[in-house]
Amino acid sequence: MISRGPLLGEFMGTFVLMLLGNGVCAAVTLKRSKAQGSGWMVVAAGWAFAVLCGIFVSLLCGSPDAHMNPAFTLAFAIKAQSFTKLLPYTLAQVAGGFCGAAATWLFYLPHWAVTEDPAAKLGVFATGPAIRNYPHNLFCEFLATFVLVLVAGGMSSKLVLTTGAAAGLSPLLVSFLIWSIGLSLGATTGYAINPARDLGPRLAHALLPIAGKGSSDWAYAWVPVMGPMLGAGLAGWVLFLLGA
C-alpha cells in the first residue's frame, strides 16, 4: 500500500496539473493535433480544469494544503508565520512539474517531429512574454500572482465565509479564479503565476530529447520564478495583517 503524505500529495497534484496544463498547450500548438489552433479560450479553460484536477489528486494523495505552487506555499507560510513547509513542498512541486511535463512529451511523442517551430515547442513547456520587456514582464507576473493569492485567501477566510466554504467547493472556486486570471491577465506573459509550473517543465524541455527543440530560454526563466514569489509574498503579508 502507498503511504499517503503531504510531499506525495504535492508531487502528485503538481504532476497532474502539469500533465493536463502542458497537455492543453500541446493540443492547441502541435501540428496534426485534432485541437490545433483552438485558441486562448481553450488554453485558459484547460489550465483552470487542470488546477481543479490537481487539487483533488493532491488531497487524495495526502497533502492537506494542495498548494502545487511554491508561491502559494510562501504566502501561507508568511500568513501563518511558519516556514517549515516551504523547502520540502517546493522540491516536491518542482519535481512533480518536471515529471508531468515529461509525461506530456511522451503523450504527444509523434507530434514533436512534425512541428517545425522550436519556439512553439518550448511554449508547451514554459511561459514566455508576448513582448519581451523584463521589468514589465516581472510586474505582470507579480500582479497576477498577488491577485491569485489574495482572492484565494479570501475564499478560505472566515472573514468572508464565517463557516467556511461548503465541503468540496473550494477547489472549484480556485479553478474559476485561475480561469479568470488566464482570460484577463494571462495574455502578456502566459501567466506562470507558479514557479514550479514554469521551472519544472523548463528543466524537462532542456533535458528531454525533444525532436527539433531549440533554446530553453533561460534568460527569461527568472521572471516566472521571481515575479510570482514576490507577488505571493506581498499577498501573504496582506492576509497576515488582515488576520485572514
Side-chain angles (χ1 to χ4, degrees):
M1 182 177 292
I2 297 175
S3 178
R4 298 170 68 249
L7 297 185
L8 178 65
E10 292 297 326
F11 174 86
M12 287 302 301
T14 313
F15 172 85
V16 169
L17 169 63
M18 290 302 105
L19 175 60
L20 298 180
N22 289 165
V24 73
C25 292
V28 169
T29 301
L30 298 181
K31 285 198 171 179
R32 297 179 64 181
S33 158
K34 292 181 181 293
Q36 184 184 358
S38 298
W40 191 252
M41 284 292 292
V42 171
V43 171
W47 274 105
F49 302 146
V51 169
L52 176 66
C53 296
I55 290 172
F56 278 114
V57 170
S58 187
L59 294 169
L60 173 69
C61 291
S63 174
D65 302 300
H67 288 165
M68 306 179 298
N69 182 343
F72 255 114
T73 304
L74 174 63
F76 287 99
I78 291 171
K79 177 187 170 185
Q81 294 292 286
S82 173
F83 296 84
T84 56
K85 296 178 180 178
L86 182 57
L87 181 59
Y89 271 29
T90 296
L91 293 175
Q93 292 154 359
V94 172
F98 179 94
C99 292
T104 304
W105 168 64
L106 288 172
F107 191 91
Y108 283 93
L109 192 59
H111 295 266
W112 305 104
V114 298
T115 303
E116 297 91 354
D117 185 359
K121 295 175 188 179
L122 175 60
V124 172
F125 292 86
T127 62
I131 298 174
R132 189 171 295 251
N133 179 315
Y134 290 123
H136 182 258
N137 303 149
L138 185 71
F139 170 74
C140 291
E141 287 291 339
F142 167 87
L143 184 57
T145 311
F146 175 83
V147 171
L148 168 66
V149 173
L150 186 67
V151 177
M155 289 174 178
S156 61
S157 173
K158 292 188 177 181
L159 297 177
V160 178
L161 299 169
T162 55
T163 58
L169 183 60
S170 292
L172 184 61
L173 294 177
V174 173
S175 73
F176 286 161
L177 170 59
I178 296 293
W179 201 353
S180 175
I181 290 173
L183 293 175
S184 300
L185 304 178
T188 56
T189 61
Y191 70 120
I193 57 175
N194 179 346
R197 173 265 175 273
D198 193 273
L199 181 57
R202 197 181 296 269
L203 285 167
H205 178 272
L207 296 175
L208 292 172
I210 302 164
K213 72 175 180 179
S215 166
S216 299
D217 194 14
W218 289 105
Y220 181 77
W222 64 276
V223 173
V225 173
M226 291 301 300
M229 295 302 275
L230 292 171
L234 179 59
W237 276 113
V238 171
L239 293 172
F240 171 72
L241 293 172
L242 289 173

